Amino acid sequence: MKRASLKSGFRIDYIGIALISLGLGSMQIILDKGQRDDWLSSGFIRFFFATMIIGIVAGIFWSCDRRNQSSIYIC
């Protein structure tokens, strides 16, 4: 296995990390506040549910795009 040298650098996919973090953070809010706010009957929970779906799906599609890939391949 080839080791990457520090001189060659490495790329970090900031947009992909941000999208996945948005989705996972929204999921954490849903799981934390869901039972107290009666799950999907609350507009607050529905907003974060939509944000979770959009963030995770967009993050996966962003990571699968060949132009945006860093050294870690998930697709």
Side-chain angles (χ1 to χ4, degrees), residues 11-24 55 59 62-63:
R11 295 178 2 202
I12 298 174
D13 184 12
Y14 292 109
I15 295 175
I17 291 171
L19 289 169
I20 296 294
S21 297
L22 176 71
L24 294 177
W62 181 268
S63 295

Side-chain angles (χ1 to χ4, degrees), residues 2-68:
K2 207 173 180 184
R3 292 185 72 126
S5 69
L6 291 178
K7 289 182 181 179
S8 67
F10 56 93
R11 295 178 2 202
I12 298 174
D13 184 12
Y14 292 109
I15 295 175
I17 291 171
L19 289 169
I20 296 294
S21 297
L22 176 71
L24 294 177
S26 297
M27 184 171 63
Q28 180 64 38
I29 291 171
I30 291 168
L31 294 174
D32 197 37
K33 308 273 186 204
Q35 190 171 9
R36 187 176 346 150
D37 291 346
D38 199 23
W39 296 105
L40 291 177
S41 65
S42 167
F44 178 79
I45 299 297
R46 280 184 286 194
F47 170 76
F48 280 102
F49 183 77
T51 306
M52 176 192 71
I53 297 298
I54 290 168
I56 291 175
V57 170
I60 290 170
F61 279 118
W62 181 268
S63 295
C64 288
D65 188 11
R66 295 290 176 215
R67 295 171 291 175
N68 300 320

